[in-house]
Amino acid sequence: MSMKADDLIDRRRLRRKLTFWRIAAFLIAGLAIVGLSTWLAGERIPGVASDHIAKVKIEGTITEDEDLLDRLDQVRKSSSVKGVILSIDSPGGTTAGGEAIFDAVRKLAAEKPVVAQVGTLAASAGYMIASASDHIVARKSSIVGSIGVLVQFPDLTGLMDKLGIKLEEVKSSPLKAEPSPFNPTTEEERAMMRNMILDSYDWFVGIVAERRSMSKAEATALADGSVFTGRQALAKKLIDEVGGEDQAIAWLGTKGVDAKLSVVEWKPAGSGSMFLPRALAQALGRTLGVGDFSAELLREMGAERLFLDGMLSLWQAEKAVSGD
Protein backbone atom coordinates (compact mmCIF):
# COMPACT_ATOMS: atom_id res chain seq x y z
CA MET A 1 0.00 0.00 0.00
CA SER A 2 2.91 2.31 0.86
CA MET A 3 4.41 1.86 -2.62
CA LYS A 4 1.11 2.62 -4.33
CA ALA A 5 0.66 5.83 -2.27
CA ASP A 6 4.20 6.95 -3.12
CA ASP A 7 3.59 6.24 -6.82
CA LEU A 8 0.37 8.26 -6.75
CA ILE A 9 2.13 11.23 -5.13
CA ASP A 10 4.95 11.06 -7.68
CA ARG A 11 2.49 10.96 -10.57
CA ARG A 12 0.67 14.02 -9.24
CA ARG A 13 3.96 15.90 -8.89
CA LEU A 14 4.91 14.90 -12.43
CA ARG A 15 1.55 16.09 -13.78
CA ARG A 16 1.95 19.47 -12.08
CA LYS A 17 5.43 19.83 -13.55
CA LEU A 18 4.22 18.85 -17.00
CA THR A 19 1.31 21.30 -16.77
CA PHE A 20 3.67 24.10 -15.75
CA TRP A 21 6.11 23.44 -18.58
CA ARG A 22 3.32 23.07 -21.14
CA ILE A 23 1.94 26.49 -20.18
CA ALA A 24 5.43 27.99 -20.18
CA ALA A 25 6.20 26.47 -23.59
CA PHE A 26 2.92 27.79 -25.00
CA LEU A 27 3.63 31.32 -23.77
CA ILE A 28 7.22 31.25 -25.06
CA ALA A 29 6.08 29.93 -28.45
CA GLY A 30 3.42 32.65 -28.70
CA LEU A 31 5.91 35.40 -27.92
CA ALA A 32 8.41 33.90 -30.36
CA ILE A 33 5.84 33.79 -33.18
CA VAL A 34 4.86 37.42 -32.65
CA GLY A 35 8.48 38.55 -32.42
CA LEU A 36 9.67 36.46 -35.38
CA SER A 37 6.81 37.44 -37.66
CA THR A 38 7.36 41.11 -36.86
CA TRP A 39 11.07 40.78 -37.53
CA LEU A 40 10.53 38.90 -40.81
CA ALA A 41 8.12 41.54 -42.03
CA GLY A 42 10.51 44.31 -41.12
CA GLU A 43 7.88 46.25 -39.18
CA ARG A 44 9.35 49.17 -37.30
CA ILE A 45 7.92 51.98 -35.22
CA PRO A 46 9.68 54.98 -36.74
CA GLY A 47 10.02 58.51 -35.55
CA VAL A 48 10.29 57.75 -31.83
CA ALA A 49 14.04 57.45 -31.32
CA SER A 50 17.03 58.95 -33.08
CA ASP A 51 17.15 61.40 -35.95
CA HIS A 52 16.83 59.75 -39.36
CA ILE A 53 15.85 60.13 -43.01
CA ALA A 54 12.35 58.79 -43.61
CA LYS A 55 11.63 56.69 -46.68
CA VAL A 56 8.02 56.38 -47.83
CA LYS A 57 7.26 53.92 -50.63
CA ILE A 58 4.51 54.80 -53.11
CA GLU A 59 3.94 51.72 -55.25
CA GLY A 60 1.30 50.22 -57.49
CA THR A 61 -1.95 51.83 -58.53
CA ILE A 62 -2.57 55.28 -57.07
CA THR A 63 -5.81 55.80 -55.14
CA GLU A 64 -6.83 58.17 -52.35
CA ASP A 65 -4.99 56.03 -49.80
CA GLU A 66 -5.94 57.20 -46.31
CA ASP A 67 -3.19 55.13 -44.71
CA LEU A 68 -0.53 56.72 -46.94
CA LEU A 69 -1.92 60.22 -46.36
CA ASP A 70 -1.85 59.63 -42.60
CA ARG A 71 1.73 58.30 -42.82
CA LEU A 72 2.89 61.39 -44.72
CA ASP A 73 1.30 63.57 -42.07
CA GLN A 74 3.02 61.62 -39.28
CA VAL A 75 6.35 62.03 -41.08
CA ARG A 76 5.70 65.76 -41.28
CA LYS A 77 4.99 66.00 -37.56
CA SER A 78 7.90 63.83 -36.41
CA SER A 79 10.79 65.84 -34.97
CA SER A 80 13.10 62.85 -35.59
CA VAL A 81 12.65 63.06 -39.37
CA LYS A 82 15.20 65.40 -40.90
CA GLY A 83 14.60 64.61 -44.57
CA VAL A 84 12.29 62.48 -46.70
CA ILE A 85 12.79 60.13 -49.64
CA LEU A 86 9.67 59.26 -51.65
CA SER A 87 10.42 55.94 -53.34
CA ILE A 88 8.04 55.89 -56.31
CA ASP A 89 7.23 52.93 -58.56
CA SER A 90 3.76 53.44 -60.02
CA PRO A 91 1.97 53.54 -63.38
CA GLY A 92 -0.50 56.08 -61.96
CA GLY A 93 -4.13 55.66 -61.01
CA THR A 94 -7.03 57.94 -60.21
CA THR A 95 -6.53 61.66 -60.80
CA ALA A 96 -8.20 62.49 -57.48
CA GLY A 97 -5.91 60.04 -55.67
CA GLY A 98 -2.86 61.66 -57.26
CA GLU A 99 -4.12 65.11 -56.29
CA ALA A 100 -4.64 64.11 -52.65
CA ILE A 101 -1.13 62.67 -52.33
CA PHE A 102 0.36 65.61 -54.27
CA ASP A 103 -1.17 68.04 -51.77
CA ALA A 104 0.08 65.96 -48.82
CA VAL A 105 3.62 65.91 -50.22
CA ARG A 106 3.58 69.68 -50.80
CA LYS A 107 2.45 70.19 -47.20
CA LEU A 108 5.29 67.93 -46.05
CA ALA A 109 7.85 69.68 -48.28
CA ALA A 110 6.94 73.02 -46.71
CA GLU A 111 8.53 71.77 -43.46
CA LYS A 112 11.16 69.20 -44.48
CA PRO A 113 13.29 68.64 -47.60
CA VAL A 114 11.68 65.98 -49.82
CA VAL A 115 13.30 64.13 -52.72
CA ALA A 116 11.56 61.68 -55.07
CA GLN A 117 13.50 58.59 -56.10
CA VAL A 118 11.95 56.90 -59.13
CA GLY A 119 12.41 53.16 -59.50
CA THR A 120 11.12 51.38 -62.58
CA LEU A 121 8.19 53.70 -63.24
CA ALA A 122 6.68 57.06 -62.33
CA ALA A 123 3.96 57.72 -64.90
CA SER A 124 0.76 59.76 -64.94
CA ALA A 125 -0.42 60.23 -61.33
CA GLY A 126 2.87 58.63 -60.24
CA TYR A 127 4.77 61.44 -61.95
CA MET A 128 2.29 63.98 -60.57
CA ILE A 129 3.30 62.88 -57.06
CA ALA A 130 7.02 62.93 -57.93
CA SER A 131 6.66 66.53 -59.14
CA ALA A 132 5.42 67.52 -55.70
CA SER A 133 8.91 66.88 -54.30
CA ASP A 134 11.73 69.42 -54.36
CA HIS A 135 14.07 67.19 -56.38
CA ILE A 136 13.49 64.15 -58.64
CA VAL A 137 16.06 61.39 -59.14
CA ALA A 138 15.46 58.55 -61.63
CA ARG A 139 17.43 55.69 -63.13
CA LYS A 140 18.70 56.05 -66.67
CA SER A 141 16.23 53.38 -67.77
CA SER A 142 13.31 54.43 -65.54
CA ILE A 143 10.03 55.20 -67.29
CA VAL A 144 8.80 58.74 -66.64
CA GLY A 145 5.96 60.89 -67.96
CA SER A 146 2.61 59.91 -69.49
CA ILE A 147 1.16 63.28 -68.47
CA GLY A 148 -2.54 63.21 -69.22
CA VAL A 149 -6.04 62.17 -68.16
CA LEU A 150 -8.53 59.64 -69.51
CA VAL A 151 -11.95 58.17 -68.82
CA GLN A 152 -12.88 54.75 -70.14
CA PHE A 153 -16.26 53.03 -70.32
CA PRO A 154 -17.38 49.86 -72.12
CA ASP A 155 -20.04 49.59 -74.83
CA LEU A 156 -22.21 46.53 -74.15
CA THR A 157 -24.94 47.34 -76.63
CA GLY A 158 -23.78 44.74 -79.18
CA LEU A 159 -23.70 42.01 -76.54
CA MET A 160 -27.13 43.04 -75.26
CA ASP A 161 -28.56 42.79 -78.78
CA LYS A 162 -27.19 39.26 -79.16
CA LEU A 163 -28.63 38.22 -75.80
CA GLY A 164 -31.95 39.93 -76.43
CA ILE A 165 -31.59 42.26 -73.44
CA LYS A 166 -33.17 45.72 -73.49
CA LEU A 167 -32.69 48.41 -70.84
CA GLU A 168 -35.62 50.63 -69.87
CA GLU A 169 -34.95 53.80 -67.88
CA VAL A 170 -36.60 57.01 -66.73
CA LYS A 171 -34.33 59.93 -65.78
CA SER A 172 -34.52 63.63 -65.04
CA SER A 173 -32.37 64.82 -67.97
CA PRO A 174 -30.62 63.35 -71.03
CA LEU A 175 -27.09 63.54 -69.56
CA LYS A 176 -27.97 61.96 -66.21
CA ALA A 177 -25.87 58.78 -65.66
CA GLU A 178 -24.28 59.13 -69.08
CA PRO A 179 -22.24 57.84 -70.76
CA SER A 180 -23.63 54.40 -70.02
CA PRO A 181 -22.40 50.99 -71.21
CA PHE A 182 -26.03 50.13 -71.97
CA ASN A 183 -26.64 52.90 -74.52
CA PRO A 184 -24.67 54.14 -77.55
CA THR A 185 -22.68 57.26 -76.62
CA THR A 186 -24.02 60.45 -78.20
CA GLU A 187 -21.94 63.41 -79.36
CA GLU A 188 -23.43 65.52 -76.57
CA GLU A 189 -22.25 62.96 -74.02
CA ARG A 190 -18.78 62.83 -75.58
CA ALA A 191 -18.56 66.63 -75.46
CA MET A 192 -19.50 66.64 -71.77
CA MET A 193 -16.82 64.07 -70.93
CA ARG A 194 -14.21 65.80 -73.06
CA ASN A 195 -14.82 69.15 -71.34
CA MET A 196 -14.39 67.48 -67.96
CA ILE A 197 -11.20 65.69 -69.04
CA LEU A 198 -9.68 68.81 -70.59
CA ASP A 199 -10.31 70.79 -67.41
CA SER A 200 -8.49 68.18 -65.33
CA TYR A 201 -5.76 67.91 -67.97
CA ASP A 202 -5.21 71.68 -67.92
CA TRP A 203 -4.81 71.52 -64.15
CA PHE A 204 -2.28 68.65 -64.46
CA VAL A 205 -0.25 70.51 -67.09
CA GLY A 206 -0.30 73.60 -64.88
CA ILE A 207 1.18 71.58 -62.02
CA VAL A 208 4.01 70.30 -64.23
CA ALA A 209 4.74 73.80 -65.52
CA GLU A 210 4.84 75.27 -62.02
CA ARG A 211 6.80 72.51 -60.32
CA ARG A 212 9.32 72.01 -63.13
CA SER A 213 9.84 75.73 -63.81
CA MET A 214 8.55 75.52 -67.39
CA SER A 215 6.31 77.72 -69.46
CA LYS A 216 2.79 76.40 -70.04
CA ALA A 217 3.71 75.85 -73.71
CA GLU A 218 6.77 73.76 -72.76
CA ALA A 219 4.76 71.62 -70.37
CA THR A 220 1.95 71.15 -72.90
CA ALA A 221 4.44 69.97 -75.52
CA LEU A 222 5.50 67.17 -73.14
CA ALA A 223 1.95 66.37 -72.03
CA ASP A 224 0.81 64.34 -75.03
CA GLY A 225 0.83 61.09 -73.07
CA SER A 226 4.39 60.18 -74.09
CA VAL A 227 6.69 58.30 -71.73
CA PHE A 228 10.45 58.85 -71.53
CA THR A 229 13.51 57.09 -70.17
CA GLY A 230 15.28 58.69 -67.26
CA ARG A 231 17.94 60.07 -69.58
CA GLN A 232 15.32 61.57 -71.90
CA ALA A 233 13.39 62.96 -68.94
CA LEU A 234 16.54 64.67 -67.66
CA ALA A 235 17.08 66.37 -71.03
CA LYS A 236 13.44 67.49 -71.03
CA LYS A 237 13.66 68.82 -67.45
CA LEU A 238 11.09 66.36 -66.12
CA ILE A 239 13.65 65.13 -63.57
CA ASP A 240 16.68 66.77 -61.93
CA GLU A 241 19.23 63.99 -61.72
CA VAL A 242 20.03 60.46 -62.85
CA GLY A 243 20.77 57.97 -60.08
CA GLY A 244 19.31 56.12 -57.12
CA GLU A 245 19.05 56.39 -53.34
CA ASP A 246 22.68 57.51 -52.92
CA GLN A 247 22.03 60.52 -55.13
CA ALA A 248 18.78 61.23 -53.27
CA ILE A 249 20.64 61.22 -49.93
CA ALA A 250 23.40 63.39 -51.37
CA TRP A 251 20.82 65.98 -52.45
CA LEU A 252 19.30 65.98 -48.97
CA GLY A 253 22.83 66.73 -47.75
CA THR A 254 22.81 69.95 -49.74
CA LYS A 255 19.70 70.96 -47.77
CA GLY A 256 21.36 70.61 -44.39
CA VAL A 257 20.43 66.97 -43.73
CA ASP A 258 23.28 64.86 -42.36
CA ALA A 259 23.96 62.31 -45.11
CA LYS A 260 25.19 59.84 -42.48
CA LEU A 261 21.77 59.54 -40.88
CA SER A 262 20.07 56.16 -41.16
CA VAL A 263 17.34 55.75 -43.76
CA VAL A 264 14.25 54.30 -42.05
CA GLU A 265 11.29 53.09 -44.08
CA TRP A 266 7.94 54.18 -42.69
CA LYS A 267 5.63 51.27 -43.41
CA PRO A 268 1.85 50.87 -43.31
CA ALA A 269 0.52 50.06 -39.86
CA GLY A 270 -2.52 48.09 -41.14
CA SER A 271 -3.65 44.86 -39.56
CA GLY A 272 -3.25 42.75 -42.72
CA SER A 273 -5.67 40.04 -43.83
CA MET A 274 -8.83 38.86 -42.10
CA PHE A 275 -7.17 36.00 -40.22
CA LEU A 276 -3.49 37.00 -40.00
CA PRO A 277 -1.73 40.00 -38.45
CA ARG A 278 0.05 42.08 -41.08
CA ALA A 279 3.54 40.94 -40.11
CA LEU A 280 2.60 37.26 -40.21
CA ALA A 281 0.72 37.68 -43.50
CA GLN A 282 3.78 39.27 -45.07
CA ALA A 283 6.14 36.62 -43.70
CA LEU A 284 3.95 33.73 -44.88
CA GLY A 285 3.38 35.33 -48.27
CA ARG A 286 7.10 35.85 -48.77
CA THR A 287 7.82 32.24 -47.78
CA LEU A 288 5.37 31.02 -50.45
CA GLY A 289 6.67 33.55 -52.96
CA VAL A 290 3.33 35.35 -53.45
CA GLY A 291 3.84 38.55 -51.45
CA ASP A 292 1.66 39.80 -48.63
CA PHE A 293 -1.59 37.81 -48.27
CA SER A 294 -3.43 41.05 -47.58
CA ALA A 295 -3.61 44.04 -49.95
CA GLU A 296 -0.17 43.27 -51.38
CA LEU A 297 -1.44 40.10 -53.05
CA LEU A 298 -4.25 41.95 -54.78
CA ARG A 299 -1.82 44.63 -55.90
CA GLU A 300 0.62 42.12 -57.38
CA MET A 301 -2.23 40.40 -59.23
CA GLY A 302 -3.26 43.75 -60.70
CA ALA A 303 -6.74 43.45 -59.23
CA GLU A 304 -6.73 47.04 -58.00
CA ARG A 305 -7.09 48.31 -61.55
CA LEU A 306 -10.38 46.46 -61.93
CA PHE A 307 -11.99 48.70 -59.33
CA LEU A 308 -10.79 52.15 -60.44
CA ASP A 309 -13.53 54.66 -61.05
CA GLY A 310 -13.65 58.25 -62.27
CA MET A 311 -10.96 60.11 -64.20
CA LEU A 312 -7.64 58.30 -64.45
CA SER A 313 -4.06 59.40 -64.81
CA LEU A 314 -2.75 55.96 -65.65
CA TRP A 315 -0.12 54.65 -68.06
CA GLN A 316 -1.48 51.51 -69.71
CA ALA A 317 1.54 49.36 -70.40
CA GLU A 318 -0.42 46.71 -72.28
CA LYS A 319 -1.50 49.19 -74.94
CA ALA A 320 1.90 50.82 -75.04
CA VAL A 321 3.56 47.48 -75.71
CA SER A 322 1.03 46.27 -78.25
CA GLY A 323 1.12 49.55 -80.15
CA ASP A 324 -2.61 50.27 -79.81
Side-chain angles (χ1 to χ4, degrees), residues 19-320:
T19 301
F20 169 80
W21 285 113
R22 282 171 180 167
I23 293 173
F26 178 80
L27 291 174
I28 292 171
L31 291 172
I33 289 172
V34 172
L36 179 61
S37 62
T38 301
W39 177 76
L40 286 172
E43 294 288 342
R44 306 174 72 171
I45 302 176
V48 297
S50 59
D51 292 348
H52 63 276
I53 296 170
K55 178 195 283 188
V56 178
K57 288 188 175 180
I58 300 175
E59 301 175 315
T61 305
I62 300 297
T63 59
E64 195 161 350
D65 186 339
E66 292 297 333
D67 179 85
L68 174 58
L69 294 174
D70 181 63
R71 215 175 329 144
L72 290 170
D73 195 49
Q74 289 179 19
V75 169
R76 180 181 64 82
K77 293 176 180 177
S78 173
S79 60
S80 299
V81 175
K82 303 305 176 184
V84 183
I85 298 174
L86 298 179
S87 180
I88 300 176
D89 196 348
S90 170
T94 66
T95 307
E99 177 187 353
I101 300 171
F102 175 92
D103 289 342
V105 173
R106 289 307 307 144
K107 188 175 181 181
L108 170 60
E111 300 185 27
K112 305 176 191 288
V114 179
V115 56
Q117 178 209 341
V118 178
T120 301
L121 179 64
S124 298
Y127 179 73
M128 180 192 297
I129 294 166
S131 71
S133 69
D134 300 313
H135 193 78
I136 304 176
V137 178
R139 298 288 184 186
K140 295 176 183 177
S141 56
S142 295
I143 299 172
V144 178
S146 188
I147 301 166
V149 181
L150 77 153
V151 172
Q152 295 176 317
F153 44 91
D155 182 354
L156 302 179
T157 53
L159 178 61
M160 292 171 65
D161 290 340
K162 289 181 180 179
L163 297 177
I165 298 173
K166 183 180 178 183
L167 180 71
E168 297 288 350
E169 63 181 6
V170 178
K171 54 186 179 179
S172 59
S173 58
L175 294 180
K176 177 62 179 176
E178 297 293 350
S180 165
F182 307 115
N183 299 311
T185 305
T186 66
E187 287 304 316
E188 188 179 12
E189 293 162 4
R190 289 183 186 277
M192 174 188 69
M193 298 301 293
R194 183 166 180 78
N195 287 336
M196 182 179 70
I197 291 170
L198 288 179
D199 181 72
S200 184
Y201 170 75
D202 184 66
W203 167 79
F204 193 172
V205 172
I207 282 178
V208 175
E210 177 187 354
R211 297 300 306 149
R212 302 307 303 166
S213 300
M214 298 178 181
S215 68
K216 190 70 175 288
E218 287 176 314
T220 302
L222 297 173
D224 61 356
S226 296
V227 290
F228 310 98
T229 66
R231 294 200 308 168
Q232 292 173 323
L234 179 63
K236 296 178 183 299
K237 301 193 294 183
L238 289 174
I239 68 170
D240 299 291
E241 188 177 1
V242 168
E245 187 170 293
D246 288 345
Q247 285 68 35
I249 294 172
W251 179 84
L252 289 173
T254 67
K255 298 300 177 182
V257 179
D258 186 353
K260 294 180 181 179
L261 288 176
S262 298
V263 177
V264 177
E265 182 183 343
W266 284 55
K267 294 187 175 184
S271 58
S273 66
M274 185 181 299
F275 302 108
L276 295 171
R278 180 179 180 82
L280 198 55
Q282 288 180 328
L284 182 57
R286 288 173 185 172
T287 301
L288 298 176
V290 297
D292 187 351
F293 270 131
S294 55
E296 182 66 25
L297 182 57
L298 286 175
R299 182 160 53 245
E300 292 189 10
M301 293 172 63
E304 283 178 325
R305 293 178 59 178
L306 297 178
F307 303 101
L308 293 178
D309 194 11
M311 290 189 291
L312 309 181
S313 290
L314 181 71
W315 181 59
Q316 297 181 299
E318 296 91 340
K319 289 191 174 183

Side-chain angles (χ1 to χ4, degrees), residues 1-11:
M1 295 293 294
S2 176
M3 288 295 295
K4 288 183 178 179
D6 289 340
D7 288 342
L8 185 60
I9 293 172
D10 287 339
R11 286 175 184 173

